[in-house]
Amino acid sequence: MVTTWKKKAKKGKLPSKRAAAATTANKARYVSSKMGKTRALEAKASLRGYVPATKWLNAAVLQEMLSEHRMVYVKPNAGMCGDGVIRVEKALPENGASLRYTFQSGVRKKSFATFEGMYTALRKVIGKRRYLVQKGIQLLKYKGNRFDLRVMVQMTPAAKWETTGVIGRVAHPSKIVTNYHDGGKLKSVDTLLRRYMTANDRKLYVKRLEQLGRKAAKAVEARYKGVKEIGVDIAVDYEMKPWILEVNTSPDPYIFRKLKDKRVYAKIKRYAKAYGRL
Ligand SMILES: Nc1ncnc2c1ncn2[C@@H]1O[C@H](COP(=O)(O)OP(=O)(O)O)[C@@H](O)[C@H]1O
Ligand SMILES: [Mg+2]
């Protein structure tokens, strides 16, 4: 079922046939441009602080952002499932490394002495696709592997935005993305944040994420009328600050079947059916 979803998603065949058959008024809108959705979030003053600096990729921009942030993510504007996502790092000269520039795509890591050497190799990986570059966030870890969180926000049958689920995704040990469709493992947020927060703080944190999700949905809807569901990818840094990495407009609902609390997926499914997605 999950593989089928990924295939459909890649072919741009989302939402489902049933959704496609639904009336235009009822049809959930799909938006592919990461940059467009990022700008939609930044248009709301209250969300601006949660969005890592994001720019269109070119050599000058990458060089500048590497000097400022040391670690950045370079990703396709219209990608999904972690495809084509690259992590680029610049080591400090004090570290004594002669190969100061490194990038990793998939499980392959390559190092270079100069920015120019690195950028030439990077462009070969990128090809003709349109890419953006984003400040990298140091993700928290679970048993040594990075994780981030997925917040599902849906339009209720009463036409209100509601956060219906939050789940964590742990990266495959040798990958730089947490995507479930790229080897990631699903875990409850409570399990993942246990090392970092007390039980009470975890509860409050989830409430905060739910609110952030609703705000993100309103911001995206303000620019893209007809969006009925979003899946927000949220990174948490070591100061426990949440960062919105991206917003998906046709998020995989099935990942929530992994949660012990079966009511979560039941509600997600019910709402999705109401707007013709499932
Ligand atoms: N700025 C970033 N800092 C840290 N990790 C990131 C960043 N951007 C992306 N990632 C990692 O890569 C994954 C995939 O990136 P994302 O922007 O969600 O693209 P996709 O559409 O392919 O899911 C994220 O879930 C996260 O694990
Ligand atoms: Mg994502």
Side-chain angles (χ1 to χ4, degrees):
M1 177 108 74
V2 163
T3 322
T4 316
W5 180 89
K6 186 177 176 180
K7 274 190 196 145
K8 267 198 215 166
K10 280 197 166 165
K11 286 184 187 155
K13 282 191 180 164
L14 283 171
S16 69
K17 271 187 197 151
R18 184 170 158 181
T23 62
T24 327
N26 186 38
K27 199 174 156 188
R29 182 171 179 190
Y30 176 71
V31 181
S32 68
S33 171
K34 277 193 173 46
M35 188 61 99
K37 291 177 282 184
T38 300
R39 296 293 178 251
L41 299 176
E42 289 171 337
K44 300 281 173 211
S46 63
L47 284 176
R48 230 165 274 156
Y50 296 101
V51 183
T54 308
K55 296 179 178 175
W56 288 113
L57 174 71
N58 65 44
V61 162
L62 181 59
Q63 198 157 23
E64 196 182 285
M65 284 185 69
L66 275 174
S67 296
E68 191 173 345
H69 308 296
R70 300 280 146 195
M71 191 272 283
V72 300
Y73 269 70
V74 165
K75 38 196 186 183
N77 186 46
M80 53 170 62
C81 307
D83 289 340
V85 174
I86 307 166
R87 178 183 172 104
V88 188
E89 287 171 87
K90 180 184 181 183
L92 289 166
E94 303 85 278
N95 292 352
S98 57
L99 298 175
R100 286 183 59 201
Y101 295 89
T102 304
F103 74 73
Q104 183 176 346
S105 83
V107 295
R108 289 187 35 215
K109 210 170 177 169
K110 291 186 171 184
S111 295
F112 304 84
T114 64
F115 175 83
E116 288 71 24
M118 182 276 290
Y119 193 70
T120 304
L122 186 73
R123 289 257 45 131
K124 283 197 185 120
V125 176
I126 288 173
K128 288 196 185 346
R129 286 177 290 177
R130 215 165 178 210
Y131 261 69
L132 43 86
V133 51
Q134 185 173 68
K135 171 190 167 169
I137 307 300
Q138 297 293 351
L139 302 188
L140 299 183
K141 289 185 173 177
Y142 175 76
K143 296 188 176 169
N145 300 318
R146 298 182 188 104
F147 70 83
D148 65 7
L149 310 174
R150 164 60 64 89
V151 178
M152 182 83 170
V153 193
Q154 294 173 279
M155 187 68 91
T156 70
K160 291 258 181 312
W161 283 109
E162 182 179 322
T163 299
T164 45
V166 185
I167 199 167
R169 309 173 308 168
V170 185
H172 180 278
S174 48
K175 293 200 175 169
I176 50 105
V177 298
T178 55
N179 301 64
Y180 177 60
H181 299 283
D182 202 349
K185 288 253 182 298
L186 301 167
K187 291 270 171 208
S188 77
V189 178
D190 211 54
T191 299
L192 297 178
L193 293 180
R194 199 162 289 155
R195 246 182 88 187
Y196 300 100
M197 292 174 207
T198 63
N200 195 48
D201 285 350
R202 294 198 294 275
K203 259 196 202 134
L204 294 173
Y205 204 79
V206 169
K207 291 259 174 274
R208 193 175 162 200
L209 295 174
E210 288 171 353
Q211 191 192 23
L212 195 55
R214 287 192 300 272
K215 275 193 180 173
K218 285 175 196 160
V220 170
E221 191 195 17
R223 178 154 177 177
Y224 300 106
K225 296 273 167 288
V227 166
K228 299 270 197 309
E229 56 179 3
I230 62 164
V232 191
D233 289 347
I234 296 188
V236 182
D237 72 14
Y238 281 82
E239 262 123 51
M240 303 303 129
K241 180 184 159 76
W243 292 91
I244 301 178
L245 299 180
E246 73 145 346
V247 172
N248 300 275
T249 49
S250 198
D252 182 358
Y254 303 117
I255 55 173
F256 292 93
R257 287 186 305 191
K258 292 266 168 165
L259 291 176
K260 263 201 210 106
D261 184 351
K262 296 301 165 199
R263 290 168 304 178
V264 174
Y265 177 66
K267 189 193 256 183
I268 288 175
K269 193 165 75 175
R270 180 157 61 83
Y271 287 2
K273 279 188 174 159
Y275 51 72
R277 160 81 193 279
L278 288 176

